[in-house]
Amino acid sequence: MKELNVESKKFLCNDSPTRWNSTYELLKIAVELEKVFGMFEVKDPTFVRDVLTPSKEDFNICRAMVGFLEKFKVKTDIVSTSTKPMAHRFFGEICDVYKHIKEWAASPQFCLIGKDMIDKYDKYWGDLEKLNDFLYFAVILDLRFKFDFLQQAFEKLIKLKNPQKDPMLNSEVILKAKVLIRGLQQRFENFFYYYKSKFDNTDSSQNQTHGHEDVVVIDDENDFMDILGLQISTVASEAAFSISGRILDPYRTNLSANIVEALVCTQDWVRKSRKQIVDNIDEILKDDEVAKALENAIKNGDGKGKQPINILE
């Protein structure tokens, strides 16, 4: 690196087969150090003999993969933040992700994985009429966006989802988006009158004069919900797309749901604290003394042990 004047403090990292972000970091660093691989080939004969030297084409593929994964890394960091209210940004972020996947799926190198990702996306976010209304309400309450943003977003998403072989007319796209907006406006207005009847000291009969008897039904235990203060996700960014699972072994199969919940919540609190007490819940669960103490506490308690539980990250 010194001979090539490569100014970087990064070095190759290990790849984890269960965490996609480790693959992203590995490839990103490798691309930055492309020249160094070539220098190894010149300086060290054993490098060529023992290692399959990456070619220029290999690095081109890596560079493309880094560009593809970087969008997801950025989005994951955004939605996993725990210090700012992010609900108003979520709908825009998932729209941007869909646009990103569609664009890359058109590339021969990414067409196969792109199709699989689009199918997965559509499973959770594809039906605009079935998304949680709070995602839309948060956008509406943001003074920078409101209904105009949703109208434009609906139009773009409808165009992206429309097959290229039989494209919709622009007027059809606009009309379909307006239908979605009208339904959303009605539900948002109902939600407003629910709040008004709940917290306004004025005569509640005013609601009836506007013909809004059928308001949104919400659990009375949640008398007030700050929509813009809702967190998008409580999952840490490094675990958001992990495919690994933490399996309770025979020492921990008698943990009750309450104990498991307490451990998970404790991990969440520790993760958000300024001073790191433990790295993660694995350290707790792998401690045999802790496990046996919990087991004895359960046996000596109400005896409400549960069946083996899988805790997925």
Side-chain angles (χ1 to χ4, degrees):
M1 291 173 66
K2 289 181 179 179
E3 290 185 31
L4 295 171
N5 294 322
V6 176
E7 297 181 0
S8 176
K9 296 181 180 180
K10 296 181 179 180
F11 294 93
L12 295 180
C13 60
N14 290 328
D15 183 27
S16 171
T18 61
R19 294 182 184 273
W20 70 267
N21 54 327
S22 72
T23 305
Y24 164 76
E25 295 292 347
L26 171 69
L27 296 179
K28 184 178 181 181
I29 296 172
V31 168
E32 292 180 6
L33 303 179
E34 179 180 357
K35 294 181 179 179
V36 180
F37 281 90
M39 182 60 74
F40 264 119
E41 187 174 358
V42 175
K43 293 286 187 179
D44 189 352
T46 60
F47 181 77
V48 181
R49 184 190 66 197
D50 300 334
V51 181
L52 181 62
T53 308
S55 65
K56 186 71 175 179
E57 181 60 25
D58 291 330
F59 278 107
N60 289 336
I61 295 174
C62 289
R63 194 172 289 106
M65 181 60 74
V66 169
F68 178 65
L69 293 177
E70 187 170 17
K71 175 75 73 171
F72 301 100
K73 177 65 167 60
V74 172
K75 300 301 183 187
T76 304
D77 291 340
I78 290 175
V79 302
S80 297
T81 181
S82 60
T83 58
K84 300 178 182 178
M86 300 297 298
H88 62 294
R89 292 190 57 176
F90 189 58
F91 181 69
E93 298 297 343
I94 62 173
C95 291
D96 192 35
V97 166
Y98 186 74
K99 179 175 179 290
H100 178 73
I101 298 174
K102 289 285 288 187
E103 290 175 348
W104 282 83
S107 168
Q109 291 179 329
F110 293 89
C111 59
L112 295 179
I113 61 173
K115 181 182 182 302
D116 291 340
M117 295 179 75
I118 290 173
D119 292 341
K120 177 72 73 170
Y121 181 98
D122 287 338
K123 177 181 177 181
Y124 293 99
W125 309 105
D127 194 338
L128 297 175
E129 296 182 3
K130 293 183 179 180
L131 289 185
N132 191 317
D133 277 340
F134 283 102
L135 298 180
Y136 298 133
F137 292 170
V139 175
I140 296 168
L141 291 174
D142 191 321
L143 298 178
R144 300 169 299 172
F145 300 142
K146 292 186 173 277
F147 281 102
D148 290 340
F149 173 84
L150 290 175
Q151 174 73 30
Q152 296 176 12
F154 287 160
E155 291 177 9
K156 289 183 179 180
L157 287 175
I158 293 171
K159 288 180 180 178
L160 286 172
K161 292 178 179 295
N162 193 240
Q164 296 181 352
K165 296 181 179 179
D166 186 23
M168 296 175 63
L169 296 175
N170 192 51
S171 58
E172 294 176 323
V173 172
I174 295 174
L175 179 60
K176 188 172 182 179
K178 286 184 176 180
V179 171
L180 292 172
I181 290 292
R182 282 198 294 267
L184 185 59
Q185 285 175 328
Q186 181 63 52
R187 297 193 297 275
F188 185 70
E189 191 174 356
N190 290 341
F191 189 72
F192 166 78
Y193 280 103
Y194 168 81
Y195 266 83
K196 184 175 178 63
S197 64
K198 198 76 174 176
F199 302 104
D200 196 347
N201 294 325
T202 59
D203 188 0
S204 60
S205 62
Q206 291 180 359
N207 293 344
Q208 297 182 0
T209 61
H210 294 281
H212 294 284
E213 295 87 350
D214 298 329
V215 297
V216 176
V217 178
I218 299 178
D219 188 353
D220 288 336
E221 293 182 0
N222 299 316
D223 286 337
F224 186 82
M225 290 163 289
D226 184 1
I227 297 175
L228 293 179
L230 293 175
Q231 291 296 320
I232 298 174
S233 173
T234 60
V235 179
S237 61
E238 65 272 11
F241 289 91
S242 173
I243 60 174
S244 65
R246 287 193 287 264
I247 310 300
L248 296 182
D249 64 21
Y251 279 107
R252 290 106 187 179
T253 55
N254 286 328
L255 291 181
S256 67
N258 290 336
I259 294 295
V260 172
E261 181 180 0
L263 290 172
V264 172
C265 289
T266 301
Q267 172 188 286
D268 187 61
W269 298 332
V270 169
R271 185 181 286 145
K272 288 181 171 58
S273 65
R274 293 184 178 180
K275 183 178 179 180
Q276 187 173 2
I277 301 174
V278 294
D279 289 336
N280 51 50
I281 202 170
D282 286 337
E283 293 187 5
I284 299 176
L285 293 178
K286 289 179 180 179
D287 191 321
D288 289 340
E289 293 184 2
V290 173
K292 291 179 180 178
L294 289 171
E295 183 180 9
N296 292 333
I298 293 170
K299 289 181 179 180
N300 298 329
D302 55 13
K304 294 181 179 179
K306 304 299 181 182
Q307 295 299 317
I309 302 171
N310 288 348
I311 306 177
L312 297 180
E313 288 187 327

